[in-house]
Amino acid sequence: MQESDIEINVKGWVRTKRGSKNVAFIALNDGSTIHNLQLVVDLEKIPESALAHIHTGAALSVDGVLVPSAGSGQKVEMSVNRIEVLGTAHPDEYPLQPKKHSLEFLREKAHLRFRTNTFGAITRLRHAMTFAVHKFFNDKGFYNIHSPIITGSDAEGAGEMFHVTTMKLDAIPKTAEGRIDFKQDFFGKEANLTVSGQLEAELAALALSKVYTFGPTFRAENSNTSRHLAEFWMIEPEVAFFDINDDMDLAEEMLKYLINYALEHCADDLAFLSKRQEEEEKTKKAEERSMELIEKLKFVLDQPFERITYTEAIDILRDSKQNKKGKFQYPIDAWGADLQSEHERYLVEKHFKKPVILTDYPRDIKAFYMKQNDDGKTVRAMDVLFPGIGEIIGGSQREEVYDKLLSRIKEMDIPMESMWWYLETRKFGTVPHAGFGLGFERLMLFLTGMGNIRDVIPFPRTPFNLEF
Ligand code: ATP
Ligand code: MN
């Protein structure tokens, strides 16, 4: 038997159908690759009436033989023997037509947008990156920790957390003083969705040495930007015996590993996304256009990231033409200001022209757990800034000295009762340690060249947006 005689079965969804008198061509896709399989239907073998219900979006099961393709678009195509319509899609009703739809339109069709080239590519890339994250850490001897999603500690993000309750919202029990009586709630105390798995990861790192979490994270910040979600995924390694320099080395190594993994394993999808981005860029002014996607990924791989202190960054920003001409929305005049995305991107895209790691931020704009420097002003924080994104990673060496941590907790008015367990780790076998958080969707923005974070997670949660 010749190889080409072997009949195979394929199943998938119709992207397009076109035809002539004697032959019909159907492009079928099952989501496994950006490339469609071309089905060639000989209308002498299969009557045209059998194809009447085949339109864009229909699901088919097809038996046939793979043959070298006469056309230029593909190496092989399928010569069809039998065709079964598993599910129809009425052309007047099916929202996805074989033409370019806007990303805004597709967000409203999130239940169907997986079926487009763009979202197929993003979904496969997202999967590959999830796998690569676990592989990276596993190969380095890290243990994956499942940190809790519901938390009783309100330490990190007062005001930014989603409440979790089973109390009836129209009859919330009150105490004698008129406050909400959480004793009557499910957990007997106030509960929230977590903003970070870090504190729990620290507990594990102080026993297993090298750990990481990779889970959903929730922030009720009402920032309607293209880089913020209310529900996003965060990767948080935490390592005992690490200082801030080890932490930066790990962050840089991980980002480069992931980018390289994407280049090696997702070439077809990246090539498609690159073309997509190029089309998009044509609508922008020349000076606002970004680098070609794959070139940009390789560029980041080849560069050692620039490492400078916050203080040095402030000097650069204050003296910049941009600042002097009043072109920053938030002008930089004094040391101590929190950096906005526009400042981060200036440093990366205009000044250094490569990723930048900023260290030693003012302690007043950073979290209580960060290790205090001897200057009494700064902490051993490190943020990784990326082109087109701004902050992609936020991390630090942690304060491991009990008394210093305690005084910081008191200074910042953090409710101590909920933090006793965290403090205890500084009493029993405390060691220097460090870690960071990588926002998975920020990484996906960078890798895909997409402009809006709502398009790199299947079902984005943002203010007033909870349809799917
Ligand atoms: P930003 O200043 O950009 O809001 P952040 O300082 O609040 O970030 P961290 O608390 O340090 O961020 O969180 C660690 C990482 O998680 C960030 O570097 C970023 O990649 C990601 N991240 C933070 N907030 C969000 C969000 N709302 N949506 C998506 N990713 C986020
Ligand atoms: Mn934030």
Side-chain angles (χ1 to χ4, degrees):
M1 188 164 66
Q2 280 180 343
E3 209 183 349
S4 63
D5 290 342
I6 301 172
E7 191 179 81
I8 59 166
N9 173 265
V10 294
K11 296 184 181 75
W13 293 267
V14 174
R15 288 296 176 81
T16 57
K17 183 181 91 171
R18 63 197 167 83
S20 61
K21 225 165 146 206
N22 310 317
V23 61
F25 297 100
I26 299 168
L28 198 75
N29 193 292
D30 71 352
S32 59
T33 137
I34 193 83
H35 306 293
N36 299 327
L37 177 65
Q38 170 150 282
L39 308 176
V40 183
V41 186
D42 181 349
L43 295 178
E44 273 172 20
K45 258 197 326 203
I46 294 176
E48 202 160 3
S49 59
L51 308 184
H53 296 295
I54 297 177
H55 302 284
T56 297
L60 307 181
S61 172
V62 187
D63 301 315
V65 175
L66 283 184
V67 296
S69 176
S72 61
Q74 58 279 314
K75 280 204 190 99
V76 293
E77 58 194 20
M78 177 181 263
S79 168
V80 174
N81 294 334
R82 268 173 308 281
I83 202 158
E84 184 190 350
V85 181
L86 300 176
T88 58
H90 198 286
D92 296 341
E93 289 167 14
Y94 187 58
L96 304 182
Q97 292 308 314
K99 62 162 198 179
K100 193 175 156 68
H101 293 291
S102 77
L103 294 170
E104 289 77 12
F105 173 81
L106 291 175
R107 266 172 233 150
E108 288 165 13
K109 307 287 175 209
H111 57 308
L112 298 171
R113 69 176 181 171
F114 286 114
R115 300 184 189 190
T116 63
N117 282 330
T118 299
F119 287 92
I122 293 168
T123 304
R124 285 185 294 272
L125 199 59
R126 199 178 154 109
H127 164 80
M129 285 300 101
T130 303
F131 181 79
V133 165
H134 289 298
K135 179 162 169 54
F136 173 78
F137 285 121
N138 184 64
D139 289 355
K140 291 180 86 68
F142 281 65
Y143 296 103
N144 181 209
I145 304 298
H146 294 129
S147 50
I149 289 169
I150 301 175
T151 167
S153 64
D154 180 28
E156 269 224 77
E160 282 197 356
M161 299 182 100
F162 289 100
H163 297 298
V164 176
T165 182
T166 52
M167 295 191 290
K168 294 219 161 49
L169 292 182
D170 55 0
I172 291 175
K174 296 279 172 68
T175 63
E177 300 85 52
R179 296 215 191 88
I180 295 170
D181 187 5
F182 286 107
K183 288 211 171 63
Q184 297 189 46
D185 202 353
F186 187 92
F187 295 105
K189 62 189 286 195
E190 199 174 341
N192 294 295
L193 293 180
T194 188
V195 295
S196 158
Q198 178 202 319
L199 302 187
E200 290 85 359
E202 280 189 58
L203 311 183
L206 292 172
L208 293 134
S209 296
K210 295 191 270 186
V211 303
Y212 71 105
T213 69
F214 186 174
T217 320
F218 307 86
R219 305 243 172 129
E221 50 193 351
N222 203 346
S223 45
N224 229 324
T225 77
S226 57
R227 295 164 18 263
H228 288 90
L229 291 163
E231 176 181 296
F232 63 100
W233 288 68
M234 188 140 67
I235 298 142
E236 295 181 274
E238 191 68 37
V239 192
F241 318 111
F242 256 30
D243 66 14
I244 189 174
N245 293 308
D246 303 318
D247 206 30
M248 287 192 276
D249 291 344
L250 180 69
E252 184 166 343
E253 185 187 346
M254 177 176 78
L255 286 167
K256 287 180 169 171
Y257 177 91
L258 295 174
I259 293 166
N260 188 53
Y261 190 95
L263 286 167
E264 279 185 3
H265 293 85
C266 309
D268 286 359
D269 287 323
L270 286 176
F272 171 81
L273 290 166
S274 164
K275 259 193 239 140
R276 201 207 71 86
Q277 181 186 275
E278 249 176 77
E279 289 293 314
E280 206 101 314
E281 297 288 303
K282 280 182 192 158
T283 61
K284 296 186 190 164
K285 284 188 237 143
E287 68 269 20
E288 279 168 14
R289 283 184 204 154
S290 59
M291 225 187 247
E292 187 275 326
L293 182 63
I294 291 162
E295 193 189 331
K296 180 187 81 177
L297 301 185
K298 289 186 177 156
F299 177 78
V300 166
L301 279 188
D302 293 343
Q303 308 280 332
F305 296 179
E306 187 74 32
R307 299 180 183 192
I308 61 164
T309 65
Y310 166 90
T311 304
E312 290 167 313
I314 285 289
D315 288 343
I316 292 169
L317 289 166
R318 195 169 28 202
D319 297 341
S320 68
K321 270 195 202 136
Q322 201 104 344
N323 194 48
K324 288 181 176 158
K325 284 190 193 160
K327 285 203 174 152
F328 284 133
Q329 196 186 340
Y330 297 89
I332 296 282
D333 40 29
W335 191 92
D338 205 354
L339 298 184
Q340 305 295 325
S341 167
E342 57 175 345
H343 308 126
E344 297 171 343
R345 292 184 57 182
Y346 176 85
L347 292 168
V348 171
E349 293 162 27
K350 299 269 158 29
H351 191 83
F352 288 108
K353 298 191 166 58
K354 57 174 154 170
V356 176
I357 311 184
L358 287 192
T359 61
D360 303 288
Y361 281 76
R363 63 178 208 159
D364 293 337
I365 58 171
K366 287 291 182 187
F368 74 94
Y369 49 72
M370 296 190 179
K371 178 143 190 80
Q372 299 171 55
N373 281 319
D374 294 335
D375 63 9
K377 279 171 26 186
T378 59
V379 287
R380 252 165 250 182
M382 67 102 185
D383 281 7
V384 182
L385 315 179
F386 253 40
I389 310 282
E391 181 187 331
I392 194 165
I393 281 180
S396 71
Q397 187 174 334
R398 320 304 188 189
E399 184 56 78
E400 86 280 17
V401 180
Y402 182 87
D403 291 335
K404 286 190 181 167
L405 183 62
L406 185 64
S407 72
R408 200 68 190 128
I409 286 179
K410 284 186 178 155
E411 257 171 27
M412 293 175 74
D413 260 336
I414 288 160
M416 286 275 294
E417 320 78 64
S418 61
M419 293 300 294
W420 64 271
W421 46 271
Y422 185 72
L423 269 163
E424 266 199 7
T425 58
R426 273 60 170 174
K427 275 210 292 212
F428 308 126
T430 189
V431 294
H433 60 287
F436 61 79
L438 165 66
F440 190 52
E441 285 75 20
R442 300 251 174 114
L443 173 73
M444 290 304 299
L445 275 178
F446 181 72
L447 288 172
T448 57
M450 300 297 286
N452 193 314
I453 201 162
R454 290 165 180 77
D455 298 325
V456 295
I457 188 166
F459 303 106
R461 269 77 180 99
T462 51
F464 299 104
N465 176 21
L466 189 64
E467 182 69 19
F468 301 97

